[in-house]
Amino acid sequence: MTMVEAAPVISDRELTAIIKLVYDKSGITLHDGKKALVVARLQKRLRAGGFRSFGDYLRVVETDPSGEELTGLLDAMATNHTSFFREAQHFEILRDRVLPEWRARGGAGFEMWSAACSSGEEPYTLGMTLADTMTEAEIGRARILASDMSTKALGKARPGVYPMERVADLPREVLRRHFEKGLGAQAGLARVGAHVRRLVTFEQRNLLEVGDVGRRFDVIFCRNVMIYFDRAVQQRVVSMLERHLAPRGYLFISHSESLNGVAHGLQWVAPAVYMRRPA
Ligand SMILES: C[S@@+](CC[C@H](N)C(=O)[O-])C[C@H]1O[C@@H](n2cnc3c(N)ncnc32)[C@H](O)[C@@H]1O
């Protein structure tokens, strides 16, 4: 007879402690309506780690000096959904407005930051847009920093290899120019071309812990992450991003997000697009 072990039960106190920990460390607010989802994801984590109870699990998350279990918890709670050319209008604004303005100013280094890059589709799309628009000399002066708090997402992003279904809906021309089709053991996979991959540098960064990245950006994409934050965390993150924008630098958020109720000095230029005023 096969014995099926019952999933560990979580107490209200333990659930509250986990929700607080996730909020404190990542800014992600887990609403009450998400309780079933949170518990299901946590139970999966407990099974994977061989924990017998939520109490045992919480103790390790809170005391593990490597921080690995905490990272795993945050990974399990974050939504990593993304896609190539998501909210495509933003890449058109980059091509038709931001890059020509930059060129008109003399086109020194062009710095971009994809600040919650998930599995890499967003920064690679930025790279493809630059590759399609810039001259060779300009490309040589362009850099894309791509960061996320999730080591799991970054592990998928770095190689730039995706299942064919993730790119199947892209126009043929984009596929031809910017992807290599896997052959043999790599069949069914597509890799972002080296000319795009080399523009992007991935780093693990938690938006709540960024002090100073050490440079100012002409463009920051921070999309579909603030939607998980409450106003207080949004305020913290937007102030930090604003500090990192060069004068006339652009901040792109998602069309499903808004800066209503967040104090900032940015100028609205298009839906979900803001510009830092010239110095
Ligand atoms: C839904 S994805 C958005 C990906 C991409 N920007 C897009 O719009 O398609 C949200 C990402 O935010 C990341 N994230 C959540 N909280 C974060 C934080 N405090 N610091 C950095 N990244 C965070 C998650 O790991 C996840 O990869």
Side-chain angles (χ1 to χ4, degrees):
M1 194 172 64
T2 328
M3 299 286 283
V4 180
E5 234 182 276
V9 176
I10 189 163
S11 69
D12 282 350
R13 198 180 49 79
E14 286 160 347
L15 186 59
T16 306
I18 288 175
I19 288 173
K20 181 171 183 315
L21 192 64
V22 171
Y23 177 78
D24 289 347
K25 298 293 180 186
S26 71
I28 297 174
T29 299
L30 299 166
H31 299 288
D32 281 354
K34 283 199 171 169
K35 186 173 166 179
L37 181 77
V38 170
V39 172
R41 286 184 180 174
L42 285 171
Q43 278 169 338
K44 203 165 143 200
R45 242 346 289 123
L46 253 66
R47 268 197 302 277
F51 295 99
R52 299 186 71 82
S53 72
F54 278 100
D56 287 355
Y57 175 65
L58 248 176
R59 261 187 297 284
V60 172
V61 171
E62 283 171 341
T63 55
D64 168 22
S66 75
E68 224 171 90
E69 207 45 63
L70 174 65
T71 305
L73 169 66
L74 300 183
D75 272 356
M77 292 303 135
T79 303
N80 297 122
H81 173 78
T82 184
S83 56
F84 289 102
F85 291 93
R86 184 179 194 182
E87 300 182 50
Q89 215 186 349
H90 282 164
F91 302 96
E92 290 162 16
I93 293 175
L94 174 62
R95 183 194 62 201
D96 298 337
R97 173 173 183 148
V98 183
L99 283 169
E101 280 179 10
W102 167 77
R103 206 168 275 130
R105 290 200 302 274
F110 191 69
E111 298 280 358
M112 305 188 81
W113 183 14
S114 165
C117 69
S118 189
S119 39
E121 286 86 337
E122 181 178 275
Y124 287 135
T125 306
L126 293 173
M128 291 173 204
T129 308
L130 297 191
D132 285 343
T133 319
M134 287 178 145
T135 64
E136 275 303 308
E138 287 171 344
I139 286 270
R141 304 197 295 274
R143 282 200 294 184
I144 302 168
L145 168 65
S147 64
D148 199 283
M149 71 170 183
S150 166
T151 44
K152 201 165 113 205
L154 291 170
K156 288 187 190 164
R158 283 196 177 95
V161 177
Y162 299 89
M164 221 44 192
E165 341 37 296
R166 307 262 320 141
V167 302
D169 291 337
L170 295 178
R172 270 184 162 201
E173 201 39 35
V174 172
L175 284 175
R176 194 187 60 75
R177 277 203 307 270
H178 299 310
F179 288 88
E180 297 150 7
K181 202 169 162 185
L183 298 171
Q186 304 296 310
L189 299 173
R191 185 171 201 188
V192 175
H195 64 291
V196 174
R197 275 187 282 123
R198 75 178 136 81
L199 297 175
V200 186
T201 306
F202 290 97
E203 289 178 9
Q204 187 194 15
R205 284 182 188 272
N206 185 331
L207 289 166
L208 262 53
E209 291 166 9
V210 174
D212 190 348
V213 170
R215 58 187 120 133
R216 297 295 167 262
F217 295 91
D218 298 289
V219 172
I220 298 178
F221 271 51
C222 185
R223 307 188 307 166
N224 298 296
V225 60
M226 282 195 279
I227 199 160
Y228 303 106
F229 298 159
D230 64 12
R231 279 282 175 258
V233 176
Q234 287 176 354
Q235 181 66 65
R236 238 172 104 179
V237 171
V238 169
S239 298
M240 180 279 288
L241 295 173
E242 191 174 355
R243 278 203 315 275
H244 280 87
L245 278 175
R248 295 184 196 281
Y250 285 84
L251 172 65
F252 290 75
I253 63 171
S254 161
H255 288 94
S256 44
E257 295 164 327
S258 117
L259 296 188
N260 283 346
V262 175
H264 62 81
L266 303 170
Q267 185 183 330
W268 184 93
V269 285
V273 187
Y274 297 82
M275 187 186 77
R276 185 170 160 192
R277 291 165 210 282

